[in-house]
């Protein structure tokens, strides 16, 4: 499966074969919009149901009301979502059009022409100028730079904001820019894919352009669509992928819609109501048919024919089906969509979640899952860049066995090191050289003379800057030549090869030729386990591994630096292999890794660097608060165990002894791993009851074994443990862990910032991306993007919690009001001969569902049961959301009962007050409807916790609107209810009845609520009372236990004194459950007690799942 | 050692100096709709946050009780002050010879349908005294019945053929019936004549229908056509020379009742009726209530501000008022004997060192 691109060949068949550069992100065209959109909408069950009902209503024999009462809302709802889709699509069309019609310079028939971007074909040569956007994927063939370099910004593609260098293929090197028009050749490349890091292709130029050789191409030789050309006057390239087949186009996917736990619950309840409705329909249908045959046939005035059509038996049940169809509120979907997008807007708008450093507000990409935020049970977090700032600072180093920076905590200020640098000790100089040039950093001279570094990796940036501080300044990189300045002297190095960093190799190397003496040197840096085993035989690496150990204890990131002088022959021999490997099309990465391995051995280890990655502001507080809220934290990091544990300690992830305990799962072999795992599991089972923070630590290798062979037991462990640290894990393992927790029905939130977190973020129920220094890749894939980790607290406790509460009310209320009117219809059918007469007229029914009752409840999006501060002070209250206490079958049953009670009240009172001479159908109907409207206004009032002006407006304004609308309808002579509302409003009986309905309907509910509120208060109620009565808040704040102070003292202690490490390290890793037990509680009695408590806690945990 | 090299240690942050601010390029899209600060967007609108304090709740229950009890008494009093004479005549108006075959009697057009009843006025009835007929077990709200009418046809002559809803009383020999439908077809047709001490008592049958019906709903150019001309005769017939807008009995009848027991206005007696007066009523007993086992009643009633005699409202008011009073008292008692401070933090289980879920 290859693609052959013939360069600049206007006659070549490839032009027909591949699509042109027209970009299209549109879902619809003008023609297919209606059918396609309708098809999509009708693929949902709810919509199918409503359509069926609406169609049944067209049969006038069975329809209780005018079909418009269903068609109207249905069409309205469909129109709303269709309009939204159309608008989105139109915007996509506009932006496509703008991109498509952009003018670019393209060579056509040997002449440079200005054409629209959409007319670019595969094989065309495209000319770009500085700051141009790249219109399609190009293979570079020429640049203005004599070295063949150019710089691109790939932010739109991967979110990385640093400039990247791209280089023209060696075969095109040195071709005169005038001749580029005439260049001919063929590019052999794979079919379009979405991997933006790989492009394994070959280029062959045709005569007269010399080289008949195949020249390998990599991603370095391409510039991809949507990148920007920077710092380069011009480039030209061959279009290889165009239109929607570009790497960007291919990676554009439609994310699968996520369904919140709440949506699932609402669906379940809808299903229950549907079943209830069917039962009602069957019962009433049978009753209706029986009544018809026994009673109605005697009523001469009804004039039933003796012989009915074959479907006669079905008529009455179908009528009831239509009558009861309003049980499932058609408005709920629209209301929910509306409020959900408002929740998302509130997140976007939140001024307290703006990252003022970058001016970047929080953003909800997925507007549909805010409620899930309030129900999070597990947070899986990345470490680097998420908990930490990913702002690397060089802190310590160990050069040939001497530790620098241990006293001051900053090697740059260590006089000893400065002296060593000044005296020019060879080891130190070599060390600094590796720091300065073993990287891909690009130095840029600014106008003021200061040197700015453009680095792709934060670590490299820190190292280069530290080297510069130590007087080894990398100040120029032009082509292959690097220039460094040490004190006053300038050194030149020619970079021969760069052996790139991959997460498998865990190291990177450069091969340079020292231009001073012509020697070829290999410079390497990498993780300890990727460098130390390859040290030259005879070199003592113990000090280095000790240094690594010690630095890791302090939570520092370590890198080992090494070098080796290469012989000329060795290099050349290797070079050929490397060339061959890098031009393979299959498994190139693996082949290259293998070849690199052949060079990276017998290294002379120079030293170890330690880089500090500071914790972000507010991370410990955030984690503590969220843990109090009952959320379990798992840290998944690619870092090494000790670093991870240290970071975990310093950010409250785990507590130090004696409060906390770490259980380590490790082992070299499968057996060892499984044994240690069993021990941990046993300990964990015993200790769950103790008020202790028990966490387990597992590394990638052990995790792989566990997930493979002990999945079930590991799941148990995962459920038992509130905290876990998984280190050395790969992106796919992160995703697997999310999957594991999801399979236990836990709601997971994954938060990360880098490309390696993307899979985990997409896998989790909620993905949160930190728009940080590792680019926007994670933020793009995520449902929510925030600027800092600490905003997570607000996102969950404020936005998630409020969203959950509001939706819980809104959805149940929607069912309540639909059931209310439906019950009245059902009751009415009992006194109308079970014949399926609708008490209410079509206009009222339609307006009731869509208008009268939907508007006031919509303002519940402003409702706040507790103030934000209160929630932050008492994060435990999140439990109500997590456990789904506000929307579950039993709360729903409460609302169901309430609607039944209210229906009885309204119905009984209306027909008794309007009996005998007043019993006119329209009047009774309006009386009952008014009763419902008044009741629902009071229900909303009673259930609202805080009234803003908007709520008052909506609730009471709606009531007024009800009368205004009905007066208007009553003044239309052709309407059925002509003059009815005016007549009613003039009757004292009407008003008396309304007040009676309100008092009878609300009195018991208020009494019950008050009783529960005062004598059986939920935690929410208690806090509400505390907050609103003012007084006890202060005392509450004081009562709160503050374990932080203790930890604060402990953790810095362990950091500053490496000797103290036993405190945090060894005792944490207990060996056997026996020692634990004796540690935990003294007497057997205690032990049993704790056992029973553990069972109760696990019971309660099960409880909250339902 | 002095720093000899000028290096901006915070170069990453200072990148913007070279004109190509990478950070801001990437985030410019977001900045363009950077939130505007307002109290609405911050969900920080000033809000009133009431709580259910005992005082508030007890006060509101007491208020409702205090308002409802007198109101209930007032409406009960008003209802009691209504003087009402109800006379069921359907059974008694069947002559003894037909007592077992009422259907035959009523359907036979030759039989004598006149029936005389004597009513005693229990108390002074001030004019106007309303005359109603009351039907029981008559389902005017039956779906088949209630929809069998054509409001358009009633309204204007132009829509004479609009009879699609009127089945089965829509056409006679292919010609439309005006007014069509079961409702009109089953028009009540008993008539009453009143005498007090052998002096005829005038019953005013004008303005018994709603004015809106006369003016808008029933057209002045619509005359009954083919009414009761079919093979099956339902209720009363109409004078085909009088436009519908003046057929008030029809209008009253066509205001369908929501309940199966209902009263409809027959007319008004505009003289006072003295206590112990004996009213002699001559009833033309035409309407077939025997076929479906219904009852017919003649009702004479005065009226007050709440309408006719209807105790249910007053009773309900007193019941609700009493219930609220009871609730208020019991809440006061609970409050006094078992006080419980609101918002006591000690009720928070996590302050009690217990698991949250233990409650």
């Amino acid at each position: 499966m290859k693609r052959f691109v013939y360069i600049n060949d206007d006659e070549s068949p490839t032009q027909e074969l591949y699509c042109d550069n027209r970009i299209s992100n549109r879902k619809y065209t003008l023609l297919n919009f209606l059918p396609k959109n309708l098809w999509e909408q009708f693929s949902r069950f709810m919509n199918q149901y409503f359509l069926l009902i609406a169609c049944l209503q067209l049969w006038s024999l069975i329809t209780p009301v005018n079909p418009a009462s269903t068609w109207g809302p249905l069409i309205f709802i469909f129109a709303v979502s269709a309009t939204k889709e159309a608008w989105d699509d139109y915007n996509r069309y506009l932006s496509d059009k703008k991109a498509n019609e952009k003018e670019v310079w393209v060579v056509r028939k040997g002449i440079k022409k200005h054409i629209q971007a959409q007319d670019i074909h595969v094989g065309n040569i495209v000319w770009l100028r500085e700051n141009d956007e790249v219109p399609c994927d190009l293979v570079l063939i020429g640049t203005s730079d004599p070295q063949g370099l150019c710089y691109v910004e790939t932010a739109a593609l991967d979110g990385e904001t640093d400039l990247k260098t791209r280089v023209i293929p060696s075969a095109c090197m040195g071709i005169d820019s005038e001749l580029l028009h005439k260049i001919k050749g063929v590019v052999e490349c794979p079919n379009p894919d979405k991997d933006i890091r790989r492009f394994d292709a070959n280029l062959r130029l045709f005569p007269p352009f010399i080289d008949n050789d195949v020249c390998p191409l990599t991603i370095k030789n391409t510039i991809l669509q949507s990148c920007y050309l920077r710092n380069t006057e011009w480039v030209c390239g061959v279009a290889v992928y165009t239109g929607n087949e570009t790497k960007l186009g291919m990676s554009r996917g439609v994310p699968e819609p996520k369904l919140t736990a709440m949506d699932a619950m609402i669906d379940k309840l809808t299903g229950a109501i549907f079943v209830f409705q069917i039962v009602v329909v069957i019962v009433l249908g049978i009753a209706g048919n029986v009544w018809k045959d026994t009673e109605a046939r005697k009523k001469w005035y009804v004039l039933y024919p003796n012989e009915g059509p074959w479907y006669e038996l079905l008529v009455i049940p179908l009528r009831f089906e239509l009558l009861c169809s309003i049980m499932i509120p058609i408005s709920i979907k629209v209301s929910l969509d509306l409020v959900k997008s408002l929740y998302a807007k509130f997140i976007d708008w939140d001024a307290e979640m703006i990252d003022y450093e970058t001016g970047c507000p929080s953003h909800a990409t997925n507007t549909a899952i805010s409620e899930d935020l309030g129900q999070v049970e597990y947070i899986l977090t990345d470490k680097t860049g998420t908990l930490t700032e990913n702002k690397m600072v060089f802190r310590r180093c160990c050069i040939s066995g001497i530790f620098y920076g241990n006293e001051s905590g900053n090697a740059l200020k260590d006089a000893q090191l400065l002296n060593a640098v000044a005296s020019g000790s060879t080891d130190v100089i070599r060390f600094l050289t590796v720091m300065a040039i073993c990287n891909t950093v690009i130095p840029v001279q600014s106008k003021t003379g200061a040197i700015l570094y453009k680095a792709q990796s934060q670590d490299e940036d820190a190292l280069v800057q530290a080297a510069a501080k130590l007087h080894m300044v990398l100040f120029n990189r032009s082509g292959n030549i690097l220039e460094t300045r040490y004190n006053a002297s300038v050194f030149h190095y020619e970079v021969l090869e760069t052996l790139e960093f991959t997460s498998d190799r865990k190291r990177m190397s450069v091969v340079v030729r020292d231009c001073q003496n012509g020697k070829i040197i290999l410079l390497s840096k990498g993780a300890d386990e990727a460098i130390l085993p390859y040290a030259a035989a005879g070199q003592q690496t113990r000090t280095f591994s000790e240094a690594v150990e010690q630095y890791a204890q302090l939570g520092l990131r370590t890198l080992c630096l090494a070098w080796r002088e290469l012989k000329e022959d060795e290099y050349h021999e290797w070079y050929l292999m490397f060339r061959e490997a890098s031009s393979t099309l299959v498994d190139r990465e693996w082949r290259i890794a293998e070849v690199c391995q052949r060079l990276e051995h017998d290294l002379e280890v120079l030293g170890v660097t330690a880089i500090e990655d500071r914790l972000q502001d507010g991370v410990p507080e955030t984690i503590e608060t969220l843990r109090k809220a009952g959320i379990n934290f798992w840290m998944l990091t690619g870092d090494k165990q000790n670093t991870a544990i240290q970071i975990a300690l310093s950010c409250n992830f785990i507590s130090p002894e004696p409060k906390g305990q770490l259980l380590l799962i490790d082992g070299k072999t499968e057996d060892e791993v499984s044994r240690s795992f069993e021990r941990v599991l046993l300990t964990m089972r015993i200790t769950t009851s103790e008020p202790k923070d028990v966490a387990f630590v597992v590394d990638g290798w052990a995790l792989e074994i566990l997930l493979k062979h002990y999945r079930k037991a590991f799941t148990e462990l995962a459920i038992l443990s509130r905290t876990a640290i998984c280190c050395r894990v790969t992106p796919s393992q992160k995703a697997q862990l999310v999957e594991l927790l999801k399979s236990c029905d836990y709601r997971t939130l994954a938060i990360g910032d880098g490309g390696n977190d993307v899979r985990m973020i997409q896998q989790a129920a909620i993905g949160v991306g930190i728009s940080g220094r590792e680019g926007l890749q994670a933020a793009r894939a995520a449902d929510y993007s925030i600027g800092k980790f600490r905003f997570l607290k607000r996102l969950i406790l404020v936005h998630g919690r409020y969203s959950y509460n509001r939706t819980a009310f809104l959805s149940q209320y929607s069912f309540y009001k639909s059931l209310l009117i439906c019950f009245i219809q059902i009751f009415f059918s009992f006194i109308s001969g079970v014949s399926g007469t609708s008490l209410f007229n079509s206009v009222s029914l339609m307006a009731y569902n869509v208008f009268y009752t939907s508007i006031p409840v919509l303002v519940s999006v402003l409702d706040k049961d507790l103030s934000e501060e209160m929630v932050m002070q008492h994060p435990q209250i999140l439990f109500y959301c997590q456990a789904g206490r506000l929307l579950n079958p039993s709360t729903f049953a409460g609302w169901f009962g309430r609607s039944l009670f209210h229906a009885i009240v309204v119905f009984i009172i209306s027909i008794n007050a309007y009996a005998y001479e007043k019993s006119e159908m329209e009047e009774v109907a309006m009386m009952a409807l008014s009763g419902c409207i008044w009741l629902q206004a009071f229900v909303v009032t009673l259930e609202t916790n805080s009234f803003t002006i908007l709520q008052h407006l909506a609730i009471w304004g709606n009531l007024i609107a009800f009368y205004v609308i009905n007066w208007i309808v009553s003044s239309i002579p052709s309407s059925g209810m002509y003059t009815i509302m005016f007549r009613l409003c003039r009757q004292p009986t009407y008003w008396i009845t309304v007040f009676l309905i309100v008092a009878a309907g609300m009195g018991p509910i208020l009494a019950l609520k008050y009783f529960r509120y005062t004598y059986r208060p939920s935690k929410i109620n208690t806090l509400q009372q505390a907050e609103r009565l003012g007084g006890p808040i202060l005392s509450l704040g004081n009562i709160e236990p503050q374990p932080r102070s203790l930890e604060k003292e402990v953790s810095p202690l362990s950091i500053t004194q490496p000797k103290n490490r036993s405190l945090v390290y060894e005792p944490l890793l207990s060996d056997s459950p026996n020692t634990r037990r004796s540690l935990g509680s003294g007497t057997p009695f205690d032990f049993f007690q704790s056992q029973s408590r553990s069972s109760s806690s696990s019971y309660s945990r099960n409880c909250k799942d339902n | 050692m002095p720093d000899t090299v000028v290096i901006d240690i915070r170069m990453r942050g200072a990148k913007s100096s070279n004109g190509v601010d990478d950070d801001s390029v990437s985030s410019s899209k977001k900045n363009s709709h950077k939130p505007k600060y307002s109290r609405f967007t911050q969900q920080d609108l000033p809000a009133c946050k009431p709580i259910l304090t005992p005082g508030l709740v007890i006060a509101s229950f007491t208020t409702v009780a205090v308002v409802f009890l007198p109101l209930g008494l007032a409406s009960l009093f008003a209802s009691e002050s209504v003087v009402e004479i109800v006379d069921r005549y359907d059974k008694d108006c069947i002559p003894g010879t037909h007592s077992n075959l009422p259907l035959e009697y009523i359907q036979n057009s030759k039989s004598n349908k006149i029936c005389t009843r004597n009513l005693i006025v229990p108390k002074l009835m001030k004019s106007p005294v309303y005359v109603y007929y009351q039907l029981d077990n008559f389902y005017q709200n039956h779906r088949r019945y209630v929809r069998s009418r054509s409001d358009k046809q009633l309204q204007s002559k132009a829509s004479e053929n609009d009879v699609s809803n009127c089945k089965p009383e829509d056409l006679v020999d292919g010609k439309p019936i005006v007014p069509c439908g079961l409702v009109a077809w089953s028009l009540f047709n008993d008539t009453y004549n009143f005498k007090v001490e052998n002096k005829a008592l005038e019953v005013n049958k004008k303005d018994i229908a709603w004015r809106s019906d006369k003016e808008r709903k029933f057209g002045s150019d619509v005359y009954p056509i083919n009414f009761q001309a079919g093979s099956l005769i339902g209720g009363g017939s109409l004078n085909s020379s009088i436009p519908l807008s003046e057929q008030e009995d029809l209008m009253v009848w066509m205001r369908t009742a929501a309940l199966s027991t209902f009263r409809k206005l027959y007319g008004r007696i505009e003289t006072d009726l003295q206590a112990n007066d004996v009213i002699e009523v001559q009833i033309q007993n035409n309407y077939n209530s025997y076929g479906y086992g219904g009852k017919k009643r003649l009702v004479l009633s005065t009226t007050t501000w709440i309408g006719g005699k209807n105790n249910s409202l007053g009773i309900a008011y007193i019941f609700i008022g009493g219930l609220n009073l009871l609730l208020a008292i019991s809440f006061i008692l609970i409050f006094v004997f078992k006080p419980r401070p609101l918002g006591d933090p000690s009720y928070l289980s996590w302050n009690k060192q217990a698991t949250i879920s233990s409650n």
Side-chain angles (χ1 to χ4, degrees), chain A residues 604-668:
Chain A
E604 182 184 342
V605 181
L606 297 172
V608 180
T609 60
I611 296 167
E612 184 192 53
D613 186 6
R614 276 194 310 166
L615 280 187
Q616 282 186 21
D617 280 348
V619 166
E621 291 79 9
T622 305
I623 290 182
E624 195 200 342
T625 313
L626 289 178
R627 278 168 58 94
K628 262 202 225 156
I631 297 175
N632 305 329
F633 267 92
W634 283 29
M635 184 201 276
L636 315 179
T637 173
D639 244 328
K640 65 168 65 63
Q641 185 174 308
N642 293 346
T643 319
I645 291 175
Q646 265 312 316
I647 293 284
L649 268 174
S650 62
C651 61
N652 271 340
F653 215 81
I654 47 177
S655 320
E657 287 275 331
K659 206 170 159 264
Q661 186 188 15
L662 269 188
L663 305 170
L664 184 68
I665 305 170
D666 64 352
K668 295 255 182 303

Side-chain angles (χ1 to χ4, degrees), chain A residues 61 63 161 300-303 349 351 359 451-452 806 835 837 864 912 918-919 921 947 975 992 1025 1036 1100, chain B residues 11 22 31 42-43 47-48 51 139 141 143-144 210 217 255-259 288 306 310 317 343 345 357:
Chain A
L61 184 65
T63 177
T161 53
W300 57 268
Y301 52 87
V302 183
L303 216 59
W349 284 332
I451 296 166
L452 302 180
R806 291 162 181 175
S835 58
T837 317
K864 291 171 147 189
N912 276 306
K918 291 208 196 90
S919 137
M921 190 103 160
F947 295 90
S975 85
I992 285 187
Q1025 291 156 3
L1036 267 176
S1100 62
Chain B
M11 269 172 292
D22 309 42
N31 282 342
Q42 300 309 310
Q43 307 187 55
C48 134
I51 58 166
Y139 287 86
N141 56 15
R143 189 176 182 283
R144 201 177 149 82
W210 296 4
K217 291 267 172 190
R255 279 273 154 207
T256 47
L259 305 177
N288 178 8
I306 63 155
N310 187 351
Y317 256 77
S357 44

Side-chain angles (χ1 to χ4, degrees), chain A residues 372-380 622-634 653 721-723 747-749 792-793 795-797 875-876 878-879 882 1101 1104, chain B residues 356:
Chain A
D372 251 8
L373 280 176
Q375 296 196 287
V376 168
E377 287 159 299
Y378 274 87
I379 292 180
L380 296 102
T622 305
I623 290 182
E624 195 200 342
T625 313
L626 289 178
R627 278 168 58 94
K628 262 202 225 156
I631 297 175
N632 305 329
F633 267 92
W634 283 29
F653 215 81
S721 169
R722 294 199 61 201
T723 314
R747 272 172 298 274
T748 50
L749 180 148
L792 193 63
K793 182 162 79 168
L795 192 67
I796 290 174
L797 288 178
Q876 291 92 335
L878 186 72
F879 166 74
Q882 268 180 341
R1101 175 156 221 157
K1104 75 177 197 168
Chain B
I356 296 169

